[in-house]
Amino acid sequence: MRQDENNYQAVHDGLVKGTYVYYFYWDELAIGKKGKYEGALRCEMLDTLNVGVANPQEPDCQKQDWIIVRKRLTVSKAKKLCDSNNLKYFVKSDNLDKEYEDEFEKDEKNMVTVYYRFFRKDGEVYFEAGTKDVMLFKPKCLNPNITKEKIYNEEKVDGVDEADTTLETQTKGKEIFYKANLYPFEIGCLKPKNKSIFGRSEVEDLIPTQKAINFIYALAILNCQQLGSPKIGAKSGALKDQIITNKVGEVLTDYTPAGIQGIYTLQPVPFTQGAMGLAPAMVDLLRTVTNSSEVMTG
């Protein structure tokens, strides 16, 4: 399951994004040590932006009425999920925008967004999937054994604590259903918020400070550019057909009458040193307020 890597990613997501999301699923095509398709449990870390819950004010994900997960799939893979061939004609590619789009997906015209919805029915977890245009299949129970085959047993299963499971064990000739009553997710955080399933990021306080520092230094760089290469003003007719190229040593002829300056530079005001000293002062103040060290603030 590569759980160590997932745990490291969970800590990173909890620190930076504020929330981590584990997703556990059964992979029927997993290859065992003997090279057989035996199936295995798998774990995947989901981006918080791709997970939605019914009630964000409920910290326990198992108490949610539903949980929705968004994924990007190729159109061919999405069509394989359809219950019938008629539904495949409605599966079309789409384009994402804003923070969900990257350069790779701009060039991939065969990608489609699929939404998986997990919910409970009579205490059992079901899931369904669809795009913005069509539902791909009807709701399915989380345990495929309930719909694929019937399981028989003469006696109760050994090693199962009936007080802690929903396993229904019955006598010979009757079905034994392994009902899944828990969502296959674990949503948590390192710095919880009051009445919220989403936590606070460790770098949350740094964001406005870093934006202000970036703005200050951007203005300082712009001011240096304006001082080194200021704008040039010219009165009507002073240049005639001359074009200003700003080359070093460039000579311009002033065609205005004698005694009148027709070409002049617009000198900007030098950047104040007080603004430059504001940036380190903001960082020191943030360290004091958040009780963090130089390691935390980079």
Side-chain angles (χ1 to χ4, degrees):
M1 292 176 61
R2 307 175 72 173
Q3 194 64 32
D4 291 340
E5 297 180 15
N6 293 328
N7 292 339
Y8 177 82
Q9 184 65 38
V11 174
H12 179 271
D13 291 346
L15 290 173
V16 178
K17 301 178 181 179
T19 307
Y20 59 84
V21 182
Y22 287 95
Y23 170 51
F24 298 92
Y25 63 96
W26 181 261
D27 186 4
E28 295 181 347
L29 300 180
I31 301 176
K33 294 182 178 180
K34 297 182 180 180
K36 298 180 180 180
Y37 291 92
E38 300 175 347
L41 187 64
R42 293 289 183 258
C43 179
E44 179 183 355
M45 301 303 300
L46 301 180
D47 192 344
T48 309
L49 290 176
N50 293 328
V51 179
V53 295
N55 182 14
Q57 295 183 348
E58 173 55 58
D60 190 356
C61 66
Q62 299 300 333
K63 296 181 181 180
Q64 299 291 338
D65 294 335
W66 49 259
I67 299 177
I68 291 181
V69 176
R70 181 184 60 185
K71 286 191 174 183
R72 293 286 285 173
L73 300 178
T74 59
V75 174
S76 59
K77 289 184 179 180
K79 288 182 177 181
K80 292 180 180 179
L81 300 176
C82 296
D83 282 338
S84 63
N85 292 329
N86 296 331
L87 298 177
K88 296 181 180 180
Y89 295 101
F90 298 96
V91 180
K92 302 177 181 179
S93 62
D94 53 17
N95 294 322
L96 295 177
D97 54 7
K98 297 182 180 179
E99 66 267 27
Y100 305 109
E101 186 177 35
D102 54 29
E103 295 297 330
F104 175 78
E105 291 188 340
K106 287 180 181 179
D107 298 331
E108 291 290 321
K109 304 300 182 181
N110 60 339
M111 301 294 291
V112 62
T113 303
V114 178
Y115 297 88
Y116 293 85
R117 177 175 175 264
F118 296 79
F119 61 96
R120 285 192 180 95
K121 181 180 179 181
D122 298 330
E124 187 175 359
V125 177
Y126 286 76
F127 70 97
E128 56 186 357
T131 66
K132 65 179 183 180
D133 300 316
V134 63
M135 296 299 297
L136 301 181
F137 54 83
K138 296 180 180 179
K140 299 180 181 179
C141 53
L142 197 60
N143 186 356
N145 290 330
I146 297 179
T147 56
K148 285 187 176 181
E149 62 181 350
K150 295 181 180 180
I151 304 175
Y152 297 92
N153 197 340
E154 296 183 3
E155 299 177 356
K156 294 183 178 181
V157 179
D158 296 332
V160 176
D161 188 357
E162 295 183 356
D164 297 330
T165 181
T166 58
L167 175 65
E168 297 181 2
T169 56
Q170 302 178 3
T171 58
K172 181 179 180 180
K174 295 185 179 180
E175 300 176 3
I176 298 179
F177 296 108
Y178 297 82
K179 291 185 177 181
N181 65 337
L182 297 177
Y183 291 121
F185 300 98
E186 180 59 36
I187 305 177
C189 58
L190 300 181
K191 295 180 64 176
K193 291 182 181 178
N194 187 24
K195 295 183 179 180
S196 176
I197 195 172
F198 302 107
R200 296 185 69 247
S201 169
E202 287 285 350
V203 299
E204 184 175 339
D205 297 329
L206 293 175
I207 295 176
T209 303
Q210 190 62 52
K211 286 183 177 180
I213 294 175
N214 295 345
F215 182 71
I216 292 174
Y217 280 99
L219 288 179
I221 295 173
L222 177 61
N223 184 255
C224 293
Q225 179 182 350
Q226 292 174 345
L227 289 173
S229 180
K231 293 182 179 180
I232 298 177
K235 294 182 179 180
S236 178
L239 290 173
K240 285 192 176 182
D241 296 333
Q242 299 177 96
I243 298 176
I244 301 176
T245 61
N246 281 336
K247 290 183 178 179
V248 179
E250 181 181 10
V251 178
L252 296 175
T253 303
D254 190 353
Y255 289 96
T256 54
I260 301 177
Q261 184 180 4
I263 303 175
Y264 52 92
T265 58
L266 303 176
Q267 291 293 337
V269 178
F271 202 69
T272 174
Q273 293 297 323
M276 296 301 298
L278 181 60
M282 293 176 61
V283 176
D284 293 338
L285 179 61
L286 180 64
R287 289 172 179 167
T288 303
V289 173
T290 59
N291 193 25
S292 60
S293 61
E294 290 82 356
V295 178
M296 288 295 300
T297 55

